Structure formats: structure tokens, C-alpha cells
Amino acid sequence: MDAFILDAVRTPRGKAKDAGSLHKVKPIELIAGLMRAAQGRNALPSAEVDDVILGCVTATGEQGANIAKIAALYAGWNHHVSGVTINRFCASGLSAVGMAATQVSTGMAGLVVAGGVESLSRVPMYSDGGAWFSDPDVARVSGFINMGISADLIATLEGYERAELDAYGLRSQQRARAARDTNRFRRSLVPVDDEEGRPLLARDELIRDTASLAELASMPALFTRIGTQGANDLALSRYPEAQKIRHLHHLGTSPSLADGASLVLVGNRAKAHALGLRARARIRAVANYSVEPVIMLTGNVEASQRALRLAGAETRDVDLFEVNESFASVMLHYIRALDVDEERFNVNGGAIAMGHPLGATGGMLVATVLDELERRDKTLGLVSICGGAGVATAMVIERV
């Protein structure tokens, strides 16, 4: 049985700072607001939803206690709607959509709402105190390392120069700015209002209109100090061929942290017909993979290859790639490894420009690539995202 994407919505990405426009909004408000918006724009009786699956990387504090189920109740949805919160690090939101597709394709559910939420300005990364990064013995055995060191390790091993990374960072800003200014995100973007209905944020907040190569060239390397505190030694113990870690990434070539939420409605053909909803795309394949945890950020390559094999497709068949920008070197490595035409790759920019709301990002990428496939009248899209400890997820979708 086919699993179809019936709709996809997201909030704007807000700066993950106290001064960010979404900082005053509780994470449960972010996701419940999207639930109400998705329900309203699709005339969706909430009792028709079988399950809610949300990715959330730091599921503690305001984001704890199974925010997927509690947000459904808070949004006023029928109490029969179940809910579960998952964590596959940065790949959580995309994994949530993949799990929804699995339920639908196996006949276990007719309609599942999936996506993610993360308010990093209110619930900081690592505040859940996981053993991976808070227990010294676990961290040592499992190879815990800062992601920025992994990105610099990839740049070192691949021989990238800082100028190449800066050029990619600038391109992300330029493409995101052009997409915003031409309203390419309009279909999926749901503005966030305050409790009185006054607008708080209507478009992505982190895009820098003044970004230039000169500005990026002036930015200091971000991970030098962390490297000297033992992270470089760990990286070199696993990858001695690197000889010396070159610290090349900075704020302009790294993903900014962001607040936000996303939702994707996944259903079968019978449910869509019964509810009068139009299937926008078919989920053809989903794949997970993991690489060695110190290098961490290269798993998106194999995950993508696996998803393409499952879909019976090849790289050349993909019209648009939407890959989470978890540092510039990771993107250059992906493009090189899969021999991707850069004119089909992250055509509307990515997390380097717009920010990365962790658990919400995967659903946002699905919305972005689907909207762009429709705008260009193209067919096949591939979404991929890598994450902590080496995990990665990829999904192939086909417009219908």
C-alpha cells in the first residue's frame, strides 16, 4: 500500500536566542499551532488521525513528557489520537515522517501526522543530560566529539580549502534570500502569532541580507579551542592519516541553531479520498544508516544511496536534492561522493543560512523540496540528514 504526503507545513525558523522572535513561544505552542493550522487548511476532523509522531532531540523540560501526545490534546484534537516522541538526533523529524510512512504502507494506519519541534532558545542542546555526552566513561568508549571537529576533520581529509567552504556558505545565504524574496516558501510556511493574535514571526529570521565573501573571510575559526582541549587528539587517534586537524569552519559555514516546528500529513489513498484531500507526493523509500561516530557526518551519503536503491532509482534520476546543511564540508563531501549537479542541490539554501531546529528540520526539508518540485513541475526529490553519533536518514519522494 502506498503512503502519500497530503500536506506539509512549518513555522518560520527563529533565532535560538533570548532575543529571537520565537523565544517567548513555548515549544508546545509552536507544534500545537501547526496542528491547528493543518487541521484548518485541510478541513481535517482530528479523530481521523491515527497517530502523531514527532522528532525532538532534547525531550526534556518543556519538551518532555511525550510532547507529541500532549500537543495533540493541547491543540484540541480528539483524545483518541495517539502520539509518540522520538529521537534520532538531527534526523529525528525525517525519521518521524518515515515511521509514519511505514505505518501507512503496512496498513497499520490510514492517516499519521509526523514532523518535529525544537525550541533551542528555551531548551538548550545537551540539557537532557544524556550519557553519551555527560558520562565521561560512556563518552570515551562511544567516541563523543563536538560536531564542529567532525566537520573540520572531513574538510582536512577531503583537502578542502577555507575559500571553498566560504563559497558554499555564501551560496546558501544567497539562495535562501532569493527564495524568501520570491515567496517560494509561501505554501508551507505558517506564521507564528502571540497569544493575542499579534504576529511574531512570518518568515525565516536568520538569513543575512548582507552576507559577502569578505564578511565570511573575516570570521574566526569556531572550533580551534575545543580542538586543543582533547577533541583533535581523539579525531587523530581514529584518523591518523589526517596528521593535523585544520580548523576551517566558522559561523558563516556552520548551521545556526534555531527554534521551529514542522508537520507532514501522511495517508493512504482511501483515507485521502474519504477526506477529500489530494495526494501531493508518494513516499517511495526511506533508509537509515550510521557511520563511525567520530567522523559522524558522512552517513547521509550511504543513507541516500540505500534509499535510491530501495526506490529503484539512481542519482541522475533525482530532480532536487534537499540535504540538511550540517556544515559546508559535509555538503561538499556529499556532492562529490554522489556526483550531484549543484544546480539540483539545496536550490533554496539551507541550515547554514536559515538555521537548524534539530528535531523539526527533517519535516521542514520535506516541505521545502515538495513545494519546489511543484513549482518547477518536477518529479523526484531526495531528502537526507545526518546527525550525532553517525546516524543518518534519507527519503525519496515522487510527485503525483
Side-chain angles (χ1 to χ4, degrees):
M1 186 181 300
D2 287 329
F4 295 98
I5 297 173
L6 309 180
D7 200 8
V9 292
R10 70 170 179 93
T11 68
R13 297 171 176 90
K15 294 179 181 178
K17 298 180 179 179
D18 290 355
S21 295
L22 299 182
H23 171 65
K24 294 182 180 179
V25 185
K26 295 180 292 188
I28 200 164
E29 290 279 9
L30 289 175
I31 195 66
L34 279 188
M35 289 176 169
R36 297 184 192 107
Q39 183 180 15
R41 66 194 251 161
N42 293 287
L44 175 66
S46 64
E48 296 291 336
V49 178
D50 294 303
D51 204 1
V52 176
I53 308 174
L54 293 184
C56 185
V57 175
T58 312
T60 189
E62 294 181 318
Q63 294 177 170
N66 190 6
I67 193 171
K69 171 59 181 174
I70 306 308
L73 291 173
Y74 188 65
W77 282 19
N78 191 291
H79 62 263
H80 293 302
V81 179
S82 192
V84 63
T85 305
I86 67 160
N87 180 6
R88 203 191 295 271
F89 296 126
C90 298
S92 299
L94 188 58
S95 283
V97 180
M99 291 177 181
T102 299
Q103 286 196 32
V104 170
S105 64
T106 57
M108 294 173 60
L111 178 64
V112 180
V113 174
V117 62
E118 209 85 37
S119 180
L120 284 152
S121 69
R122 296 174 69 100
V123 187
M125 192 189 309
Y126 304 140
S127 61
D128 53 343
W132 183 46
F133 43 80
S134 64
D135 184 319
D137 182 58
V138 174
R140 177 183 57 81
V141 172
S142 62
F144 172 74
I145 197 168
N146 184 284
M147 281 189 174
I149 301 298
S150 299
D152 283 339
L153 172 62
I154 293 167
T156 300
L157 291 171
E158 295 288 328
Y160 298 130
E161 298 299 331
R162 173 157 169 163
E164 295 176 89
L165 305 181
D166 287 0
Y168 184 90
L170 179 62
R171 185 164 72 243
S172 180
Q173 292 284 349
Q174 292 171 332
R175 288 182 172 183
R177 186 167 66 237
R180 178 202 65 196
D181 292 347
T182 55
N183 293 317
R184 294 185 191 178
F185 304 131
R186 180 179 62 251
R187 177 163 187 176
S188 58
L189 199 61
V190 176
V192 178
D193 299 333
D194 66 13
E195 294 178 353
E196 304 300 323
R198 294 175 299 232
L200 286 175
L201 188 63
R203 62 183 190 174
D204 298 305
E205 189 173 29
L206 285 138
I207 301 170
R208 297 201 303 274
D209 291 337
T210 60
S212 67
L213 282 178
E215 179 192 34
L216 269 61
S218 69
M219 293 181 176
L222 199 55
F223 304 104
T224 304
R225 182 179 60 83
I226 294 172
T228 61
Q229 294 175 341
N232 285 351
D233 292 338
L234 173 58
L236 291 172
S237 72
R238 300 283 180 99
Y239 297 90
E241 63 271 30
Q243 298 184 347
K244 180 181 179 181
I245 305 299
R246 299 161 62 228
H247 294 292
L248 302 174
H249 288 88
H250 50 77
L251 289 173
T253 49
S254 305
S256 298
L257 298 180
D259 298 338
S262 61
L263 282 181
V264 180
L265 276 62
V266 182
N268 61 31
R269 191 184 300 275
K271 180 67 75 170
H273 180 74
L275 296 175
L277 300 178
R278 182 180 67 86
R280 296 176 62 190
R282 178 166 65 100
I283 297 176
R284 284 181 50 175
V286 182
N288 299 305
Y289 190 69
S290 189
V291 294
E292 191 276 324
V294 169
I295 204 160
M296 194 186 312
L297 302 172
T298 59
N300 50 16
V301 172
E302 179 61 28
S304 296
Q305 291 171 327
R306 288 187 174 200
L308 286 170
R309 287 197 295 271
L310 289 170
E314 299 182 14
T315 302
R316 65 172 179 267
D317 300 322
V318 178
D319 294 303
L320 292 173
F321 290 82
E322 197 69 34
V323 182
N324 186 48
E325 290 181 347
S326 51
F327 301 96
S329 66
V330 181
M331 299 299 95
L332 295 182
H333 170 74
Y334 185 100
I335 290 168
R336 176 186 289 177
L338 291 182
D339 191 23
V340 175
D341 176 5
E342 294 184 30
E343 294 307 309
R344 294 182 288 146
F345 186 86
N346 288 6
V347 296
N348 292 322
I352 288 174
M354 292 182 285
H356 178 24
L358 302 187
T361 300
M364 291 182 169
L365 298 184
V366 172
T368 299
V369 77
L370 179 54
D371 288 349
E372 190 64 17
L373 285 170
E374 291 174 340
R375 192 184 76 83
R376 296 182 178 218
D377 194 22
K378 297 296 183 179
T379 303
L380 208 64
L382 188 149
V383 181
S384 186
I385 188 165
C386 57
V391 302
T393 299
M395 176 180 292
V396 177
I397 70 169
E398 178 185 20
R399 268 188 66 216
V400 294

